[in-house]
């Protein structure tokens, strides 16, 4: 018996020592050359004035008791008796006889086809009680996206599905569509390739044009905020300052989400790394303060910050990773979020950056994790990154998916 126990213990120790790396998989991805003029360091979607909070929950229907109270007893009046008709009045009510000439002309008129104006007039006179399909407002996106107002709620599905059970888990997929306008066929491939992941929320960051086309192609309800677009199947309850939205996932279980998107200026060679880090240093304190302000503005206990960041996480940059250009560095955005009690979902569910790099962006010889799902008030179950057809093979971005448990 002791030998069996020793053998099992040895197997467990060997299994716990197993490590793996995804670098070989990333090296096999061939990307187009995107050399050219570098984009500006930091970009934020244009801010417009919006109400501090917009509530979308529908009012509760009136109860039978309320309906009964709304009609005072004094207002109920019995209908008066209708007197029987007299003989002369009955005679007047008899149908008048139409002359034969008028009957013929009326029959001819009825035999002739109606004009469009006559048909429209006849349709307008039809009884209003006829059963008709109600027209629902989808609230399409404006043709000129400069006219968009935040939040913009797009409801092609009008789903409002709620989960059941005491413990609710939510699956979140994050896709950074980049700031280079993607072709329609690329976005079509992106949406179709992630359908089998069955997420509860899809968060799109990147250019507004890419977000809007992605939302329209997915055909899911969506709310577009200043930092990104959230596709959802649950119930949208409220939006704060056009920055974050709160959803009801199950009865008594809400989730607040804030997407934040920055342009990526990731270099393509190791020779450009020092210059890139210097560029990050120039504006990271201001960006960190802005991100923390948006994150703390989420008006719910369970919070999710979906961040397409301009800088890596401090934890990822050590000299022991498979990427030779990295060295020990600290970055203000990840440090500030950690100080404020935010958990990095990927880092929390993986052993170390040396074995699990979680790459979300590839540019030439540079591999980095720049897309993050930070959480508060929830427990992370798992998180992983994966190549997405139409996205990874065009601009080098990968998808990030994670599942969380709402207590």
């Amino acid at each position: 018996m002791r030998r069996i126990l020793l053998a099992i213990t040895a197997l467990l120790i060997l299994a716990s020592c197993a490590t793996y790396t995804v670098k070989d998989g990333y090296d096999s991805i061939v990307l187009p050359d995107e050399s050219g003029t570098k984009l500006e360091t930091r970009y934020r979607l244009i801010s417009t004035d919006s109400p501090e909070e917009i509530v979308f929950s529908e009012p509760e229907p009136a109860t039978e008791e309320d309906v009964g109270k709304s009609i005072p007893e004094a207002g109920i009046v019995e209908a008066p008796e209708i007197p029987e008709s007299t003989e002369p009045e009955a005679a007047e009510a008899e149908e008048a006889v139409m002359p034969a000439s008028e009957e013929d002309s009326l029959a001819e008129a009825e035999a002739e086809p109606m004009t469009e104006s006559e048909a429209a007039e006849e349709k307008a006179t039809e009884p209003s009680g006829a059963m008709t399909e109600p027209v629902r407002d989808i609230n399409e996106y404006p043709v000129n996206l400069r006219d968009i107002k935040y939040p913009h709620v797009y409801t092609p599905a009008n789903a409002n599905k709620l989960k059941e059970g005491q413990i609710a888990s939510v699956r979140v997929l994050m896709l950074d569509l980049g700031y280079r306008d993607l072709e329609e066929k690329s976005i079509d491939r992106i949406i179709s390739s992630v359908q089998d992941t069955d997420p509860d929320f899809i968060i799109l960051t990147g250019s507004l044009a890419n977000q809007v086309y992605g939302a329209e192609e997915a055909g899911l309800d969506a709310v577009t905020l200043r930092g990104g677009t959230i596709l959802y199947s649950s119930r949208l309850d409220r939006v704060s300052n056009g920055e974050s939205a709160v959803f009801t996932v199950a009865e008594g279980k809400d989730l607040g989400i804030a997407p934040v998107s920055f342009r990526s200026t990731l270099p393509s060679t190791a020779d450009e790394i020092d210059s890139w880090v210097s560029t990050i240093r120039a504006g990271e304190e201001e960006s960190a303060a802005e991100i923390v302000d948006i994150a703390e503005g989420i008006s719910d206990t369970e919070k999710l910050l979906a961040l397409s960041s301009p800088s890596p996480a401090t934890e990822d940059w050590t000299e022991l990773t498979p990427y030779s250009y990295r060295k020990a560095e600290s970055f203000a955005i990840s440090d500030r979020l950690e100080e404020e009690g935010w958990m990095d979902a990927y880092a929390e569910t993986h052993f170390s950056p040396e074995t699990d790099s979680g790459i979300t962006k590839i540019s030439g010889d540079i591999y980095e994790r720049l897309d993050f799902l930070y959480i508060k008030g929830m427990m992370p179950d798992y998180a992983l990154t994966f190549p997405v057809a139409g996205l990874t093979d065009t601009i080098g971005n990968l998808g990030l998916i994670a599942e969380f448990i709402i207590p």
Side-chain angles (χ1 to χ4, degrees):
M1 185 64 181
R2 291 183 60 188
R3 291 181 179 178
I4 295 173
L5 291 175
L6 288 172
I8 292 174
T9 304
L11 288 174
L12 291 174
I13 293 173
L14 289 173
S16 66
C17 293
T19 60
Y20 65 93
T21 176
V22 294
K23 186 174 186 305
D24 293 337
Y26 294 137
D27 289 340
S28 64
I29 300 173
V30 179
L31 301 172
D33 182 17
E34 293 191 19
S35 59
T37 305
K38 298 296 181 183
L39 298 172
E40 57 185 291
T41 301
R42 179 176 170 279
Y43 179 83
R44 198 71 204 288
L45 296 180
I46 299 173
S47 176
T48 58
D49 294 333
S50 62
E52 184 175 347
E53 182 172 85
I54 301 176
V55 180
F56 294 92
S57 299
E58 297 181 0
E60 296 182 0
T63 62
E64 292 182 4
E65 185 179 354
D66 294 335
V67 173
K69 290 179 180 178
S70 65
I71 304 176
E73 293 182 2
I76 302 175
V77 182
E78 294 184 0
E81 294 184 0
I82 301 175
E84 296 180 2
S85 60
T86 59
E87 202 169 300
E89 290 172 338
E92 289 178 6
E94 291 180 3
E95 186 177 355
V97 179
M98 184 181 294
S101 59
E102 291 186 14
E103 279 187 6
D104 295 340
S105 60
L106 180 60
E108 290 177 3
E110 289 178 348
E112 294 178 0
M114 290 188 294
T115 64
E116 291 183 5
S117 59
E118 290 172 338
E121 185 176 347
E122 181 174 314
K123 186 175 181 180
T125 59
E126 290 180 356
S128 59
M131 296 295 291
T132 57
E133 184 71 22
V135 178
R136 185 168 52 81
D137 183 16
I138 294 177
N139 194 28
E140 301 283 0
Y141 285 96
V143 176
N144 187 346
L145 294 180
R146 292 180 181 273
D147 297 331
I148 196 168
K149 302 294 182 184
Y150 302 108
H152 184 93
V153 181
Y154 174 63
T155 54
N158 198 29
N160 295 324
K161 297 178 183 177
L162 298 184
K163 294 176 177 288
E164 298 180 355
Q166 297 298 319
I167 299 177
S169 63
V170 292
R171 186 175 301 162
V172 180
L173 171 63
M174 182 178 179
L175 299 171
D176 183 354
L177 302 179
Y179 283 88
R180 190 187 80 189
D181 287 347
L182 295 174
E183 296 181 2
E184 292 184 4
K185 62 180 182 181
S186 293
I187 295 184
D188 293 345
R189 290 175 62 210
I190 293 168
I191 298 301
S192 62
S193 66
V194 299
Q195 285 179 343
D196 60 351
T197 61
D198 194 27
D200 298 298
F201 296 94
I202 301 177
I203 302 174
L204 306 178
T205 59
S207 76
L208 183 58
N210 288 343
Q211 293 176 38
V212 168
Y213 191 83
E216 292 174 338
E217 176 62 23
L220 300 173
D221 295 337
V223 55
T224 296
L225 306 171
R226 290 195 184 100
T229 296
I230 306 169
L231 280 57
Y232 62 93
S233 58
S234 55
R235 186 175 70 213
L236 173 63
D237 284 342
R238 60 189 182 273
V239 172
S240 299
N241 297 321
E243 304 278 8
S244 62
V246 175
F247 302 85
T248 295
V249 177
E251 290 299 335
K253 296 184 185 297
D254 299 339
L255 174 61
I257 302 176
V260 181
S261 181
F262 287 81
R263 284 184 184 267
S264 171
T265 58
L266 195 64
S268 58
T269 65
D271 294 338
E272 302 171 273
I273 288 295
D274 289 341
S275 175
W276 179 55
V277 172
S278 297
T279 302
I280 291 172
R281 294 275 182 260
E284 65 176 350
E285 291 294 342
E286 180 185 352
S287 297
E290 183 179 11
I291 292 167
V292 169
D293 184 59
I294 293 172
E296 295 301 329
I298 301 174
S299 58
D300 198 73
T301 306
E302 292 76 35
K303 305 180 182 185
L304 171 65
L305 171 67
L307 172 63
S308 289
S309 179
S311 64
T314 297
E315 184 178 2
D316 290 349
W317 272 52
T318 69
E319 296 178 351
L320 299 178
T321 66
Y323 310 104
S324 59
Y325 61 83
R326 291 184 185 176
K327 55 187 177 180
E329 291 278 2
S330 62
F331 299 96
I333 293 175
S334 63
D335 291 347
R336 281 291 309 279
L337 288 169
E338 184 178 355
E339 290 170 6
E340 297 294 331
W342 288 86
M343 286 193 300
D344 180 345
Y346 188 89
E348 289 290 326
T349 54
H350 290 78
F351 180 68
S352 73
E354 288 82 7
T355 57
D356 303 315
S357 54
I359 298 303
T360 64
K361 286 181 171 58
I362 306 172
S363 176
D365 300 327
I366 306 303
Y367 298 76
E368 282 301 320
R369 186 168 74 101
L370 296 179
D371 295 307
F372 303 87
L373 292 173
Y374 285 98
I375 60 172
K376 267 189 179 182
M378 297 187 293
M379 295 177 288
D381 185 9
Y382 69 83
L384 58 90
T385 63
F386 62 100
V388 178
L391 184 65
T392 309
D393 54 345
T394 56
I395 62 174
N397 291 355
L398 286 79
L400 168 60
I401 191 168
E403 189 160 317
F404 309 104
I405 299 173
I406 301 178

